Amino acid sequence: MTDRDRMWDVQQPRLNQNPPSLSQWFHQAIQDSTLRLRIRLRGNNLHLLLENKVAPDSHHLVPRLTAALQTDADSFYRFFQKTADPVYKIILYGRATGQERPAWIESIILADLHGSDRPTSAAHPGDVALISNESLARTGAPEAIARYLSESLSHLGVSVKVLIQKLPHLDDSETPDPQTAHRRLWVICSCDYSPDPSLIAEPIAQQLRELELEGFREAVIRSQVSGEAVPDWVLQVDLTHPKELLHHWSQWGDEQAINRLLNQQVAADGLQVRAILQDSTLHVFCILHPSENLPTAIPHANPAIKGVSHCLTTIRPQGIKAAAIYGIPQHKLTLLQPHSPLDLEHLQADPAWVNWLPLPASHDPDLAVSPHTLAQQQSPVALTFLLQRLLNPNIEGFLATGGIRVKLCFRGHLLHVMTEAVVCPRQTLVAGLVGPFIRDLHIHGITGVRIYGRRAGQSSPLWSQAVNFESMAAGEAAADSVPLALESPPVTATTRHGGRWERWRSRLHRAGCLTGIFLPHPDAVWQPAPTRWHGQQGLKAALLWAMVGLLLTHQVDRWWGRSVQVTADTYSDRETVLSLETDLASGTHHSAVSSAILAAARAENPDFNNRLLNEKLALYQERVQQSGPPDILIVGSSRAMRGIDPSVLSELLAANPQAPQDLDIFNFGINGATARVVSLLLQQILTPEQLPQVVLWADGARAFNSGRPDQTFEAIAQSEGYGQIERGQFPPNATTTENAAPIRPAVSPRELQKHLSHQYQDLNQWLQDQVGSLSALYPHRAEMGDWLRTHFAEPVAVMQQELEENADPDAVFATQEPITADGFLALDLRFNPKTYYRDHPRVSGAYDNDYQDFELRGQQDEAMSRLLRYLDRRHVEVIFVNLPLTQDYLDPIRGEYEAQFIDYMTAIARRTDITFRDLGTQWETEYDYFSDPSHLNRYGAQQVTLHLAEDAQIPWDLKLD
């Protein structure tokens, strides 16, 4: 039995015990030692059962306990100092011994006792507290919100604690009021078991939205099982104010939203309206409120026209060019009821007055286009609205719980639609509506849609469905071409069951005997012809089984290849699906990750087999097109992407009066980038016109190790984009670079011996590639590995640990954390050596693949030399920063390699014009600055950025001149 459910049964209290127990405190408070007490804590409620031979009198006990709680509250709350969940209410039960049901039940709201000079009446304390909690909760007070939610959850044994998190302000124009919605509400539900999300999620979401909180962007509900370190499930609730939702939908011309806003506008004038949209004209019928008005009574024209005109001109609805405002007599009131069938011609007949109102869309070309037309032109915002309205036909439910939310992105010829709600949307409902709707829109260039469903707050979908429009059309055509009837002889019951099976069994029998492997049954009717190869039966069987094995291998490979390819298309790779989610760390529905994906989808760049390179390149190209190349470009691996914050560096340098103001800085760090990858990026992928004034190269020794396989570069070298670079087709507008070195330099004689030593590995890789080219599964081996890990490896702790030893932490963080608009990856995670290695293996430098065959002279060194010469000709300044590492990471092996690298970079700095700064051991014991042993978090990035901005040996004003 846990502490939460522990029950104390005390017949006679021991008043001499020091310190007193909770039961003794209650006995002293109620001043009656003859009572038997039973105490139980469930949720945020403390239940106190009082028993005696005769049911105790509530009129005496409740005031005594209330007075004790007011005068001696400190001693009472001392009993709950070690509990994680606060107590909001005490519920008292009184009954006679042996009775099953209590004679009376009273409750005391602890919040009502503070600040009050009089004892709280216990006659109806629940009603008073409910009103008080709800009214206080609307102000946004966390304790009041917790008490308000606890009213409906404590009976389930769920305790509630509410926290408020401040979020950065948004500059998103789609957010109605970005300056006020800058807070997130955390609702932590703790209990001794794992409640079903559908049991408590929807009531909490509805209660939170009913509060209509101001200044909150969203709420995150976390279910925490007592004693567990990881939450059982997380749910996200959109707290956008209903007025903002109504205004947003009405701006897109939604008829239901416009009706509600119009009625709110004219209600003060004693009117009600009904708006009906027909084509691009909104027909607004005004009538008096239902009352004792005569059937001939009509509304006054001036206030009705003024109210409707003000509301519609403020809304500026999309695609609605004009409004016709009618004054309707009272006898037509029944025709305007929300659920009554609408007869537009009857309503328009014999109006008391009519007014024609041109709307902003009549003279604004951008507003004149209908949402359907914008959706056909691949407008994500218009299509999102149409899909949300399709999936939420009842606006009342949408405003109450947030309804089904839609996030989408265009990727190639596919449209990916993620649907989420408090309870995961039903696949049959969503797919049955979204698929035909997208197909009927005829969006240019879209041949299929991938639909996903998940519970809001989850990072991956619970279901997915692929709809291919071309295959649907082909299937319909094929169905039309099937003949209606085929003539066949009548089939008897024996032929349908026994005869068909006998024929197939006979054929299989004959085929098996023809192989020579199987022998006929002595009673078989059919006997095989004698063969002359009895002596070679073993060889024949071996050859045949080998052929069967190869055939089965080929069929299984094709089947797995098709299955994995369909799965990959369905999820549109893991990065795309995860980029569709609402990231809790960014606090916005339109994070830089989704912007990068949309930019990559709009760009005409070829694929480089590197998702981050594709997306950052598209973002960078759009940035250069809008405002020119940045002043400073940060390059390097994931250590650079997490290690230098562009926005902080821009602010710090702007404080220097000698440095240029409003510096534009972009972080182009790529996971696993080596010197060859950076050289390829700056020399062959970016054009000379896209280069910055200063390249800030931030990395370390392992990015310059020529002895290890360069997997990142080799993956890019197999891409379509790399092929276009070799053919001189990318970038399309790049000028011919004189003296450009080849991308794959010839092997020097000095390295010939080393290359010969690796010929066995090269031959092995060549054989794998040749055999893999014949396999349908080989190109999708990564997806196959992910599938196997998900279904078989992850549930097993030992296998999971083995997988983590070979896992790429860069890839893991890249798919889970969002980048900023400047390309920076901000991580809040703090490295703790005491807990980190519980989930991650400790790998020494001797077994670290990043330092395998450590050699600074080779292909990485040559790539850097070519790049420095190229940038020098382009007058681009280079600053190289050796980023910090933890003392826990720098064991003697890695420390020796790092020392070699520092000497190597110091020598390069002497003979070239680059600036080298060594920060490798600057904060080696400040573990709070790191997210893992070798990567900085956002706090460490701020320290590094501050150090670089204030470094006297870096003349920023001269380099940026």
Side-chain angles (χ1 to χ4, degrees), residues 333-379:
L333 176 64
T334 55
L335 298 177
L336 295 179
Q337 298 303 318
H339 302 290
S340 61
L342 294 176
D343 188 351
L344 189 59
E345 295 183 358
H346 191 190
L347 288 172
Q348 290 175 326
D350 301 327
W353 48 265
V354 180
N355 184 75
W356 182 262
L357 176 66
L359 295 179
S362 60
H363 53 79
D364 189 341
D366 294 334
L367 292 176
V369 185
S370 67
H372 281 78
T373 304
L374 290 175
Q376 291 173 340
Q377 298 172 358
Q378 294 193 8
S379 170

Side-chain angles (χ1 to χ4, degrees), residues 591-794:
S591 64
V593 177
S594 57
S595 301
I597 286 183
L598 295 178
R602 291 192 297 265
E604 298 179 356
N605 299 328
D607 182 25
F608 284 96
N609 280 354
N610 189 298
R611 177 189 61 84
L612 203 56
L613 175 57
N614 295 338
E615 296 173 0
K616 281 199 172 184
L617 177 60
L619 273 180
Y620 187 80
Q621 289 172 338
E622 288 191 353
R623 193 181 189 120
V624 172
Q625 185 178 3
Q626 295 174 1
S627 57
D631 300 290
I632 301 175
L633 181 63
I634 303 168
V635 295
S637 64
S638 59
R639 296 181 63 192
M641 183 168 61
R642 308 184 202 178
I644 299 180
D645 191 339
S647 60
V648 175
L649 183 59
S650 178
E651 294 178 1
L652 293 174
L653 293 180
N656 185 359
Q658 298 180 354
Q661 303 298 307
D662 299 328
L663 293 176
D664 187 10
I665 306 176
F666 187 82
N667 191 318
F668 216 128
I670 301 171
N671 294 328
T674 59
R676 299 174 71 193
V677 175
V678 174
S679 176
L680 175 66
L681 170 67
L682 297 178
Q683 285 188 263
Q684 275 82 27
I685 296 180
L686 298 183
T687 64
E689 294 78 12
Q690 295 174 339
L691 293 177
Q693 297 184 56
V694 175
V695 169
L696 182 54
W697 195 343
D699 221 311
R702 59 195 191 188
F704 289 79
N705 182 14
S706 298
R708 66 161 178 154
D710 194 345
Q711 297 179 357
T712 305
F713 182 85
E714 293 302 330
I716 297 175
Q718 303 298 324
S719 67
E720 176 188 356
Y722 188 88
Q724 291 188 14
I725 291 177
E726 286 189 316
R727 295 190 298 269
Q729 299 174 353
F730 185 86
N733 58 345
T735 58
T736 304
T737 58
E738 68 279 2
N739 303 325
I743 300 177
R744 290 180 182 268
V747 180
S748 62
R750 182 165 55 101
E751 296 182 337
L752 181 58
Q753 182 178 0
K754 181 178 178 179
H755 283 284
L756 288 175
S757 65
H758 293 286
Q759 281 194 357
Y760 173 77
Q761 289 85 350
D762 296 339
L763 178 61
N764 182 41
Q765 184 65 37
W766 180 83
L767 289 174
Q768 290 183 13
D769 294 340
Q770 295 301 316
V771 176
S773 63
L774 303 176
S775 169
L777 181 59
Y778 186 78
H780 306 287
R781 59 192 182 278
E783 292 89 341
M784 183 65 183
D786 291 340
W787 186 88
L788 291 173
R789 282 192 294 270
T790 302
H791 291 78
F792 298 102
E794 292 182 354

Side-chain angles (χ1 to χ4, degrees), residues 111-417:
D112 293 347
L113 304 180
H114 302 295
S116 177
D117 295 334
R118 58 178 181 82
T120 302
S121 174
H124 301 284
D127 298 337
V128 176
L130 182 61
I131 299 174
S132 175
N133 288 336
E134 183 175 357
S135 59
L136 289 176
R138 292 183 183 276
T139 64
E143 293 184 359
I145 297 175
R147 293 194 300 270
Y148 170 69
L149 297 176
S150 179
E151 293 288 342
S152 58
L153 295 177
S154 285
H155 72 281
L156 299 174
V158 178
S159 62
V160 181
K161 184 165 57 177
V162 175
L163 304 174
I164 294 179
Q165 176 189 6
K166 291 185 178 180
L167 299 175
H169 292 283
L170 295 176
D171 295 330
D172 193 347
S173 59
E174 296 176 9
T175 304
D177 191 1
Q179 297 302 321
T180 58
H182 61 275
R183 290 185 292 175
R184 176 186 291 136
L185 198 69
W186 285 88
V187 180
I188 303 173
C189 300
S190 303
C191 52
D192 293 328
Y193 64 98
S194 178
D196 188 351
S198 60
L199 181 64
I200 66 174
E202 191 165 0
I204 294 181
Q206 188 165 354
Q207 282 185 287
L208 289 175
R209 289 198 56 82
E210 286 176 353
L211 293 178
E212 299 183 0
L213 298 172
E214 297 284 352
F216 287 91
R217 194 180 304 170
E218 62 191 12
V220 179
I221 305 172
R222 190 179 73 177
S223 176
Q224 187 79 39
V225 179
S226 300
E228 297 290 338
V230 180
D232 187 59
W233 51 263
V234 177
L235 175 70
Q236 185 181 3
V237 179
D238 187 1
L239 293 185
T240 305
H241 201 281
K243 293 181 180 179
E244 298 178 4
L245 293 177
L246 282 175
H247 186 75
H248 178 68
W249 274 35
S250 60
Q251 284 182 321
W252 284 103
D254 181 70
E255 186 176 305
Q256 296 185 60
I258 292 177
N259 265 294
R260 290 175 66 95
L261 289 182
L262 287 177
N263 278 285
Q264 293 175 7
Q265 180 71 32
V266 301
D269 297 323
L271 302 174
Q272 72 175 24
V273 301
R274 180 73 184 276
I276 304 171
L277 181 61
Q278 187 180 47
D279 297 331
S280 61
T281 302
L282 185 70
H283 300 270
V284 182
F285 299 93
C286 304
I287 199 168
L288 294 172
H289 268 304
S291 62
E292 298 179 357
N293 294 321
L294 297 175
T296 57
I298 59 175
H300 294 288
N302 289 337
I305 295 174
K306 182 179 179 181
V308 173
S309 301
H310 175 75
C311 186
L312 292 179
T313 53
T314 303
I315 294 174
R316 300 170 61 87
Q318 183 79 33
I320 303 179
K321 300 180 180 180
I325 309 173
Y326 305 83
I328 302 300
Q330 194 71 12
H331 68 271
K332 292 186 178 182
L333 176 64
T334 55
L335 298 177
L336 295 179
Q337 298 303 318
H339 302 290
S340 61
L342 294 176
D343 188 351
L344 189 59
E345 295 183 358
H346 191 190
L347 288 172
Q348 290 175 326
D350 301 327
W353 48 265
V354 180
N355 184 75
W356 182 262
L357 176 66
L359 295 179
S362 60
H363 53 79
D364 189 341
D366 294 334
L367 292 176
V369 185
S370 67
H372 281 78
T373 304
L374 290 175
Q376 291 173 340
Q377 298 172 358
Q378 294 193 8
S379 170
V381 184
L383 186 55
T384 299
F385 158 72
L386 292 177
L387 290 176
Q388 287 196 161
R389 187 176 64 176
L390 174 70
L391 298 175
N392 300 280
N394 182 12
I395 196 171
E396 298 290 342
F398 175 71
L399 296 177
T401 64
I404 299 177
R405 298 295 177 134
V406 175
K407 300 177 180 64
L408 54 85
C409 76
F410 295 91
R411 188 79 166 182
H413 298 289
L414 294 177
L415 172 65
H416 298 267
V417 178

